[in-house]
Every structure is written in C-alpha cells, then in structure tokens.
Amino acid sequence: MTDWTWDYNPGEEYITEGLPPGVVAEVERLATELAALGRGATTVGRPTDREGGLREFDILAGRGFISFLAVPRQECVYVCNVTWYG
C-alpha cells in the first residue's frame, strides 16, 4: 500500500460533466487502484514503449478510456480526461 492519492485535474465537474454515474464510479475505482500502485502507475496503460507522461487506460471493456498523469514528486495520480463512447 502506498500513500499516493488521486484527484481530477482540472476539476471533477469539468471532467465528469455529462457522464453516466456508473462510468464516474468506474473511473474513481480505477483511479483508486492506480494510486495504490504508487510509482508503478507511471508504466500502466498506453503508451507501452515508455514510462511517465500522459497515460491512457481503457474502461468498461473498451467503451471508453481515461487519460491520467502519475506524478511521483507529488505522489498523486491526476485524472485529466474521460472519453466515453457509450
């Protein structure tokens, strides 16, 4: 277990506006899991050929994805965007 946290960037209202409640719940569940990985979150998802930077991770069987940034210096995973194909 790590001391990492997660947050929305720029803000929850901006990122989750218009998304179904189930999608928001799944995004928050995944963000919690990514934070639990700690520094390992810098290698999860795409792109697979490098570490760090803005990452993408599929949600709900490929019906969308989240873009997130894992920042080791701040020990935080920031959810930056949610794309939902619904």
Side-chain angles (χ1 to χ4, degrees):
M1 194 67 175
T2 69
D3 292 332
W4 280 51
T5 60
W6 72 271
D7 199 1
Y8 290 104
N9 184 8
E12 180 179 3
E13 299 81 24
Y14 180 79
I15 293 176
T16 62
E17 182 179 0
L19 293 175
V23 174
V24 174
E26 178 66 3
V27 167
E28 292 179 354
R29 184 191 70 79
L30 286 172
T32 301
E33 295 292 325
L34 289 166
L37 288 174
R39 194 177 242 328
T42 61
T43 61
V44 172
R46 296 179 299 266
T48 57
D49 60 339
R50 64 180 162 79
E51 181 177 319
L54 191 63
R55 320 283 305 162
E56 292 180 348
F57 194 79
D58 289 340
I59 59 172
L60 298 169
R63 292 173 44 196
F65 64 91
I66 63 171
S67 299
F68 66 94
L69 189 61
V71 183
R73 181 181 64 224
Q74 296 175 349
E75 295 187 342
C76 190
V77 173
Y78 293 101
V79 177
C80 301
N81 190 42
V82 177
T83 300
W84 177 243
Y85 303 121

